[in-house]
DNA sequence: CATGAATGAGGCTTCATTCAT
DNA sequence: GATGAATGAAGCCTCATTCAT
């Protein structure tokens, strides 16, 4: 996760890796800095040389997700859409899922931590809303309107469309990577199904 | 929340209410028993007279959700369906949402705690999977198959149908009650939209 | 020192006594709460049940001095002066020294702590200035002016008189109780000498 | 303070200056070596290259006071007195105050540290008593006896005279430079007053 | 010589839990 | 049954000191 970040020393990478694993497993509040130190193979004091407080360590663990996972969604994919690279909304969604899925998978612990801790840290929450709630949502609204204007998706409040799209994706991601990753998953087929239902619904004829 | 439970003394109700509020706000690990005692207006020792450990207090707070919220879903609604009370899957879903939504709303703190703490307590997790994961899922599979047999919903793996249905519901519940409850929500209309999309999809024509 | 304070539990008295001794011996910053606990024969946590922070413990140790030592100086003696109980300034000074000297002696550790820590704690300093710098000094000015008006002491700025008087007293107190208490001291005689020099100076003829 | 000491490197001077300032402001025990390093603009390790321990740094800061401030008092002034340069004890005192006062002023932080830390470091205390307590006191006794023999000051135990003289000086120095340096001080006049009182007392007629 | 990352002991403080009243 | 003082382990963090670079 942090292995390719060249600005970090070996010790720092170890600390971040240990913290990530423990925060994901036990939660931030229930993880002690001494545990992190032991797992990282450093002295406890070393943690505090690099991160002034335990909270700062949490932010250092979690903020890359915001930057690395979410920023690309905004910048790359949105431009592709407006550059007409995707004929349909469905293609756009499929590309987004496929493109990001591996990334999400390898950063899953970070994302889990982010989601789990979000309700308890108002600063994290604000940072998140600032980055995601406003920017990402805004861009997605544009995209939805773009395809509505093209007559490809129904004329409904964009937020509802977005929520349903997001929920559909999560209906695959969460069981696939969080709840029962050990099951046999045929990724391509599952994505097909989701997009199919999202497009034409579950009702017959 | 606990006011109508007649087996509990006044003190116990106060403790449970205080614990619920604090666990929901700060998380289990970050809430101290002394805070709970202060908020409940009892002495610290009193908590431990009723609940052997802090963990047991968490279980006492959280287990009613499993019993009161989830068990009825299974038992009542399933029977209704199988008793043919609902002509269509959509009607079933709508009834389920409407029936439960107020209940969910007033028990939201408990549900938040359950969801937030689930990943960190393997005993809770097992209990949940045992009671909900298996039983509820099993019953829902029956329901889906029931409507598929009636030819009302498409012939797709029931789990995918269930996941999409659940996700659709959450796409409304989560923003409505957790993320931005302060927005103006027109419940009936939103539920209509969700069921509409779930039925016929977002694609035009 | 704290044995006669009836509002304090035995443990609290022990903690205050231990803290006093150690603060006096090693200074506030160099004394650890674990040392205090050990010396007081209590668990470290017990200290923090009675005093929220180490700083509050310092204040609890030191503030009685302000109240018990200095307040009486102001209230009792000043009134005596104005009630004409003392014919001369010298008699007033002598009474003040003799009256207070035993008290000072038994509270010496507290006074040492107060003086030693005063420069490092701006809150203590402010509190001290508020209680002493203003009130005590103001009252002493009145006293000096009182005896100047009676024509008993020379017409010089009261502050200089006060400083010289205080310095004279300290020139006995400090060596007597702080620097070399082990020497043979004839208290009455020494006080006589000081008052003599203060009255008529060291010059001959 | 240390700028003119040619045996010290620039870094050492910086360290000593920073240490002096911080020790005076917060006390020895409450000052961290990292603070000193930061204020001196050097790395933490550099401090320990020059001073084996923090304690040695304190001694290096404080010992010049003993050597530079107190030794001269003894050697120079005593000789002057015994060489009959001063007609009266009063003139001697005046010369001593005026001569030293600027020096004291510019070395005030060092003197503050010395006084504040003396009670807590038995080695410092012993060193002080050995060098000052005995030597200085002994020489002063000679001086007092010298003027007593000349019939200029009253026949009282020299130690009492010395203590009163010292106290008188401090009654000016301490308020002037430590307690309220911001007030308007007329140095010459104040010194006059002190010597006047010391000579003829505060009593009228 | 100077650096600053690393250390681990120890600092202050909080916590869940116990128990005499 | 209820209390809250007492506990001591553990938590987060700071510190003086060392050492490879």
């Amino acid at each position: 996760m942090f292995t390719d970040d060249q600005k970090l020393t070996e010790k720092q990478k170890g600390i971040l890796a240990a913290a990530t694993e423990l925060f994901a497993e036990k939660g931030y509040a229930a993880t002690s800095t001494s545990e992190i130190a032991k797992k990282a193979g450093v002295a406890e004091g070393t943690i505090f040389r690099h991160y002034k407080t335990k909270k700062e360590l949490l932010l250092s663990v979690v903020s890359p997700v915001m930057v690395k996972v979410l920023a690309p969604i905004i910048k790359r994919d949105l431009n592709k859409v407006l550059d007409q690279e995707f004929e349909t909304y469905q293609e756009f969604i499929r590309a987004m899922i496929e493109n990001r899925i591996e990334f999400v998978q390898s950063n899953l612990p970070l994302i889990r931590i982010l989601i789990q801790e979000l309700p308890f840290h108002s600063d994290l929450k604000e940072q998140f809303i600032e980055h995601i709630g406003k920017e990402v949502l805004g861009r997605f609204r544009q995209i939805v309107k773009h395809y509505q204007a093209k007559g490809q998706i129904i004329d409904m409040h964009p937020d509802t469309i977005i929520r349903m799209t997001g929920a559909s994706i999560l209906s695959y991601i969460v069981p696939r990577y969080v709840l029962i990753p050990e099951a046999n998953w045929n990724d391509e087929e599952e994505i097909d199904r989701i997009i199919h239902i999202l497009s034409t619904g579950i009702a017959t004829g």
Side-chain angles (χ1 to χ4, degrees), chain A:
Chain A
M1 266 171 277
F2 301 103
T3 48
D4 51 340
D5 204 318
Q6 277 132 18
K7 288 176 189 166
L8 300 174
T9 68
E10 284 308 308
K11 300 260 176 198
Q12 280 194 69
K13 285 176 204 165
I15 291 167
L16 286 175
T20 302
E21 201 168 326
L22 288 166
F23 286 165
E25 188 188 327
K26 319 175 61 177
Y28 170 77
T31 301
S32 75
T33 52
S34 75
E35 275 176 295
I36 297 171
K38 197 185 293 174
K39 176 158 232 162
V42 301
E44 202 172 348
T46 306
I47 292 177
F48 292 93
R49 174 157 291 277
H50 294 293
Y51 307 94
K52 274 199 287 292
T53 62
K54 188 189 171 192
K55 183 67 173 284
E56 191 181 302
L57 177 57
L58 172 65
L59 294 180
S60 299
V61 156
V62 129
S63 76
V65 191
M66 302 217 200
V67 176
K68 288 198 202 162
V69 179
L70 298 167
I73 290 180
I74 303 168
K75 287 176 189 152
R76 212 174 336 150
D77 296 329
L78 176 69
N79 292 339
K80 279 189 190 166
V81 169
L82 300 182
D83 292 353
Q84 310 292 337
E85 280 194 35
F86 302 114
E87 266 300 298
T88 64
Y89 185 69
Q90 287 85 337
E91 279 175 41
F92 160 66
I93 295 300
R94 180 189 305 275
M96 230 189 62
I97 297 175
E98 287 176 346
N99 178 6
R100 210 65 56 206
I101 212 158
E102 189 190 8
F103 202 94
V104 165
Q105 182 178 9
S106 63
N107 287 73
L108 200 69
L110 295 176
I111 294 170
R112 274 190 60 183
I113 295 171
L114 181 62
I115 293 170
Q116 279 161 2
E117 298 301 332
L118 222 38
F120 305 136
H121 306 269
S122 57
D123 45 359
L124 260 186
K125 214 160 161 179
E126 280 163 25
Q127 205 178 327
F128 188 82
I129 288 173
E130 199 58 36
H131 283 46
I132 292 27
K134 294 190 178 161
E135 192 149 14
V136 175
L137 195 60
R139 307 265 180 143
F140 267 101
R141 282 193 188 117
Q142 286 183 270
I143 294 172
V144 168
K145 284 175 187 163
H146 170 83
Y147 287 106
Q148 286 176 327
K150 285 178 73 173
Q152 289 181 351
I153 58 181
I154 57 177
D155 192 25
M156 189 180 273
H157 195 300
D159 288 5
T160 306
I161 306 278
I162 291 167
R163 288 206 307 271
M164 282 296 292
T165 307
S168 302
I169 294 172
L170 290 178
S171 81
Y172 172 56
I173 300 279
V174 172
R176 171 69 180 85
Y177 291 111
V178 181
L179 299 182
I180 37 173
E182 70 277 10
N184 268 339
W185 293 91
N186 184 333
D187 287 339
E188 208 165 328
E189 199 178 319
E190 287 289 343
I191 295 170
D192 278 350
R193 284 181 192 155
I194 286 166
I195 291 180
H196 180 250
I197 293 181
L198 186 64
S199 302
T200 64
I202 60 171
T204 52

